[in-house]
Amino acid sequence: QVQLVESGGGLVQAGDSLRLSCVVSGRTFSRYAMGWFRQAPDKEREFVAGVMWNGGRKLYGDSVKGRFTVSRDNAKSTVYLQMNSLKPEDTAVYYCASDRLQFRAMVVGYGDQYDSWGQGTQVTVVG
């Protein structure tokens, strides 16, 4: 059984930084691309960032380019999302997800291409 556990969310001021972490178990982490998505109240789920299985390629949503950085540590089965210069519009529940295919040669931003999801962590930006 695949499990993804996010952590690192919280309440911060605009302009602050946060780093989210997602630890994966029950799957050979290093074989799968990982993605971060978010969902704000009354809004559709949005792709935030993703990283290829070997870290070789990364993809970002337009709203976070230049502010967020995705990375992974395959030895720790962990994917990270460093979020800088946070804005109130970044407020959402953030989810990590694991690609449904092994060794995909690209990062995809469509949620239906990810088959395992974490429970989410709340990020609230005020000010």
Side-chain angles (χ1 to χ4, degrees):
Q1 181 180 353
V2 183
Q3 286 192 315
L4 292 79
V5 180
E6 301 100 334
S7 61
L11 174 66
V12 297
Q13 297 286 326
D16 284 352
S17 298
L18 276 177
R19 189 176 82 154
L20 305 184
S21 300
C22 171
V23 180
V24 181
S25 60
R27 168 174 284 188
T28 305
F29 177 79
S30 59
R31 297 180 180 180
Y32 296 86
M34 294 295 299
W36 285 97
F37 293 78
R38 68 186 182 186
Q39 188 163 22
D42 299 323
K43 292 190 175 181
E44 293 188 356
R45 184 176 60 194
E46 176 188 14
F47 173 76
V48 176
V51 57
M52 206 167 88
W53 59 275
N54 62 357
R57 291 183 179 180
K58 299 177 181 180
L59 181 68
Y60 295 94
D62 288 342
S63 61
V64 306
K65 282 180 183 176
R67 299 188 298 123
F68 290 12
T69 302
V70 62
S71 61
R72 66 188 296 155
D73 184 338
N74 285 348
K76 295 182 178 179
S77 297
T78 302
V79 61
Y80 304 98
L81 184 68
Q82 177 67 43
M83 306 186 295
N84 298 330
S85 302
L86 282 161
K87 305 175 182 180
E89 50 264 44
D90 295 317
T91 296
V93 178
Y94 284 71
Y95 300 91
C96 66
S98 180
D99 197 331
R100 66 180 183 85
L101 297 180
Q102 299 184 63
F103 302 122
R104 196 194 299 254
M106 60 188 295
V107 181
V108 293
Y110 301 104
D112 63 0
Q113 295 301 306
Y114 294 81
D115 65 352
S116 298
W117 295 77
Q119 82 290 348
T121 186
Q122 176 71 46
V123 172
T124 303
V125 184
V126 298

